[in-house]
Amino acid sequence: MAVLTLSQAQLAFGHVALLDNAAFSLETGERVGLIGRNGTGKSSLLKILAGLEKPDDGLLQMQSGTELAYVPQEPDFAPGATVFSTVSEGLGDIRSLRERFEAHADGEDLDALMTQIEARNGWNWEQRVDETLQRLRLAPELPIDGLSGGTKKRVALARALVASPDVLLLDEPTNHLDLDAITWLEELLVAFKGSVFLISHDRAFLDAVCTRIVELDRGTLRSYPGNFAAYEALKAQQLADEALSNARADKLLAQEEVWIRKGVEARRTRSVARIKRLEVLRDTRASRRDVIGRVKLEVSQGERGGKIVAELEDVSKRYGDRDIVKGFTGTILRGDKVGLIGSNGAGKTTLLKLILGELAPDSGTVRQGANLGVAYFDQMRDNLNLDATLADFISPGSEWIEINGSRKHVMSYLTDFLFSPARANSPVRTLSGGERNRLLLARLFARPSNVLVLDEPTNDLDIDTLDLLEDLLADYPGTVFLVSHDRRFLDNVITSSIVAEGEGRWREYEGSVEDWLIQSRRAQALAASKSTPPKAAAAPAPAASAPVAPPPVTSQPKKKLSYKEQRELDELPGRIEALEEEQAQLNAALADPDLYKKQDAHSIAGLQARHASIDEELLGLLERWETLGGA
């Protein structure tokens, strides 16, 4: 049963219809993800459902007694408030009822107030706040002003959840959350008993949480059952069908235009009917809203730098009594795509500054390569001049920019990033959050560089732009340092990751986020197996009269490998890589539904058995590698 229904909704800003007779309904217990291009009206639609804005036309219906809770992208908090007082704002009407009852104000119907308080479970609202804070792992006495962006997002969620709403409306809930917090939020939303309607461009998050995807496309809401992966398959087919239908209509229109110009003689009734059909075809073509163009991304490349970007040897950095970086050693080469992974406050920015020579280490050595041209993308948008026009922000004082040796007019360059020439003279403050991110990327890519530092570039970007940004970064010949909590984006871009492992320790892993998770799990399993010593027979106790001297401590010289052992050590990386590749192929095969239609049960069981045996083989090879490497 639908808890809320929107029908025939219309909303326009200027000449662009954001909602064009759009219809939508949210069923009980559903978790719906809303996706679409930046600036298409997703946040406006969410505010309409929350009752904060009104459509130009249309009807919003809601079940009687339905409680809504809305969490915006950037929540507002009262200055000087604590976590407890902020979260208790979610129970504002319940608190008000109890305060009125306890005040015994003249003219108040105390019996009626008592009935309302009991119906809303308002006598113990403080306990409800405490329980919510414990569930979301928040300290009640902390001041809001000093919290990180991720913790503030948790507080906003707590404020929404404390009232136990029937419908939860979330606008970009994963922004500013680290990987652990995103996993926690996924579990929270999957266990939530009400309905959820959220805006997100985090594809892995949408896959884990949503039971339905709704796309806002050219003013229309289109629904796709399942998670984001299911949406991608259905959308590809839909776009192909739409392109074919439009091509046929355009061909027919062209034929009819030729006919009308030639003035073919025919019976009058037939000609009149054909002329009317031509008019209908013209009107249909004029009213068609074609798919919005795709962003054209190109990076202005600076001078070619040296082979080594940075070399760090036993580098440490400490603030007060806390180790931010402790004994880190690593080498960054030209062309590396490095992801920095860690919780909020782990020290990712500090480590980046050490690598790029902007911060001196307390101990250890850092050597930078030659001709480094660094371009920064700042997640906090501190460099945005909200009063500047789009054209002046991209190219101050000039109508031209230079990209890789060729000049380009600023209007044309803005068009590549889906900003129409009509908006080029609009102030930056008129842009949505996603459009501001796109504008920052446009300015960043116009500057010559051979090192890109991207701090949360995916916040607010739509999925099509994310796909193109992934391709651009993968083909970029320079070095990329990427700080992001978008797992799918990291997996598709980075070639290695530097991961915070607690207490200032950082470790580099080859490959993507998934590779890091696999390697870290194997390392943990190996450490666990080595930490369990074999049982030894109890030695006889020495005589009481004979003192026992401790054994002499002698350093064991490193054993030299034989020719056969050295050859085995050299071959181990290739053998491990081959097994990992075979395992990846088996994963893909076993995940394919067609396999179970084409193969018999015996063949499938064989594949599954081989998949299980590879783990054992890999563990054995890794143990052997460590034994020979430490010999």
Side-chain angles (χ1 to χ4, degrees), residues 136-138 150-159 177 181 184:
L136 273 64
R137 302 194 292 274
L138 292 166
T151 307
K152 285 182 177 178
K153 185 59 72 79
R154 281 179 185 261
V155 173
L157 286 166
R159 184 169 59 182
L177 295 184
W184 160 84

Side-chain angles (χ1 to χ4, degrees), residues 367-534:
R367 183 169 68 90
Q368 273 80 39
N371 298 325
L372 294 187
V374 184
Y376 285 89
F377 179 89
D378 179 18
Q379 65 157 323
M380 300 310 293
R381 306 182 184 134
D382 291 337
N383 296 323
L384 272 174
N385 181 358
L386 298 180
D387 295 320
T389 65
L390 273 61
D392 285 340
F393 183 78
I394 293 296
S395 182
S398 173
E399 294 183 355
W400 299 90
I401 59 173
E402 188 168 321
I403 302 287
N404 297 328
S406 61
R407 296 182 77 210
K408 200 166 195 175
H409 197 276
V410 68
M411 296 292 187
S412 175
Y413 186 67
L414 283 169
T415 303
D416 290 345
F417 285 81
L418 300 185
F419 295 109
S420 66
R423 301 185 68 187
N425 292 318
S426 301
V428 172
R429 67 174 63 256
T430 62
L431 302 180
S432 68
E435 288 173 322
R436 292 182 185 184
N437 256 18
R438 209 189 310 143
L439 186 69
L440 279 171
L441 288 173
R443 191 175 75 161
L444 175 77
F445 293 162
R447 296 179 173 178
S449 66
N450 51 35
V451 176
L452 287 178
V453 179
L454 305 176
D455 190 357
E456 293 291 356
T458 62
N459 282 354
D460 305 323
L461 288 184
D462 59 55
I463 291 167
D464 286 344
T465 307
L466 285 177
D467 289 339
L468 290 168
L469 183 57
E470 287 172 358
D471 294 340
L472 178 138
L473 293 178
D475 296 335
Y476 179 62
T479 305
V480 177
F481 293 98
L482 180 59
V483 178
S484 177
H485 301 307
D486 187 324
R487 292 155 293 180
R488 188 77 56 85
F489 186 77
L490 285 167
D491 276 338
N492 292 340
V493 172
I494 64 175
T495 57
S496 65
S497 50
I498 301 177
V499 183
E501 298 194 330
E503 299 178 354
R505 296 189 306 273
W506 295 82
R507 183 175 175 185
E508 186 173 7
Y509 292 86
E510 292 298 317
S512 63
V513 175
E514 190 60 31
D515 294 321
W516 155 56
L517 292 173
I518 291 171
Q519 292 176 63
S520 60
R521 282 195 292 264
R522 285 177 183 160
Q524 289 170 4
L526 188 61
S529 66
K530 290 197 167 188
S531 65
T532 307

Side-chain angles (χ1 to χ4, degrees), residues 8 31 53 74 157 217 227 240 254 310 313 423 444 469 477 497 578 580 586 598:
Q8 299 298 307
R31 298 188 298 275
E53 292 184 1
E74 304 294 338
L157 286 166
D217 180 23
N227 59 10
E313 181 70 33
R423 301 185 68 187
L444 175 77
L469 183 57
S497 50
E580 288 178 337
L586 285 173
K598 298 175 183 177

Side-chain angles (χ1 to χ4, degrees), residues 145 247 341 627:
D145 298 336
I341 300 173
T627 300

Side-chain angles (χ1 to χ4, degrees), residues 1 13 69 74 79 106 121 137 158 172 178 183 212 251 266 307 315 361 370 377 435 448 463 466 517 532 602:
M1 184 176 180
F13 288 124
E74 304 294 338
D106 293 335
N121 193 20
R137 302 194 292 274
E172 293 288 359
D178 56 40
T183 302
R212 180 160 61 110
K251 184 178 180 181
K307 183 178 180 181
V315 169
F377 179 89
E435 288 173 322
I463 291 167
L466 285 177
L517 292 173
T532 307
H602 181 71

Side-chain angles (χ1 to χ4, degrees), residues 115-292:
T115 302
Q116 293 181 59
I117 293 169
E118 289 175 351
R120 304 288 300 278
N121 193 20
W123 296 116
N124 61 343
W125 67 262
E126 294 94 344
Q127 182 182 346
R128 291 171 63 179
V129 173
D130 286 334
E131 289 174 352
T132 304
L133 292 177
Q134 289 177 14
R135 185 180 172 200
L136 273 64
R137 302 194 292 274
L138 292 166
E141 71 282 354
L142 289 178
I144 287 289
D145 298 336
L147 300 180
S148 66
T151 307
K152 285 182 177 178
K153 185 59 72 79
R154 281 179 185 261
V155 173
L157 286 166
R159 184 169 59 182
L161 290 169
V162 71
S164 302
D166 303 298
V167 178
L168 197 55
L169 305 174
L170 308 175
D171 195 348
E172 293 288 359
T174 61
N175 279 6
H176 309 303
L177 295 184
D178 56 40
L179 290 176
D180 288 340
I182 291 173
T183 302
W184 160 84
L185 180 59
E186 289 172 355
E187 295 169 354
L188 179 78
L189 294 180
V190 169
F192 181 65
K193 294 181 181 178
S195 304
V196 180
F197 187 69
L198 60 89
I199 298 172
S200 180
H201 299 126
D202 187 325
R203 293 155 289 182
F205 179 74
L206 290 169
D207 268 341
V209 171
C210 294
T211 58
R212 180 160 61 110
I213 300 294
V214 171
E215 181 185 35
L216 180 53
D217 180 23
R218 291 162 282 172
T220 302
L221 292 169
R222 295 186 173 91
S223 182
Y224 301 84
N227 59 10
F228 184 78
Y231 153 79
E232 283 186 302
L234 290 170
K235 181 64 176 179
Q237 184 59 49
Q238 185 185 78
L239 286 175
D241 293 343
E242 182 180 349
L244 182 60
S245 175
N246 287 343
R248 287 172 177 167
D250 290 343
K251 184 178 180 181
L252 179 59
L253 176 60
Q255 291 171 348
E256 294 302 290
E257 293 285 5
V258 170
W259 172 83
I260 198 70
R261 286 196 299 272
K262 286 185 177 179
V264 175
E265 294 183 1
R267 287 184 301 167
R268 181 173 177 79
T269 54
R270 184 177 177 187
S271 299
V272 169
R274 195 164 182 179
I275 290 169
K276 285 184 178 179
R277 185 176 71 167
L278 175 59
E279 291 173 351
V280 172
L281 286 171
R282 285 172 173 170
D283 290 342
T284 303
R285 181 66 185 86
S287 63
R288 183 197 302 167
R289 295 180 66 182
D290 290 323
V291 176
I292 305 170

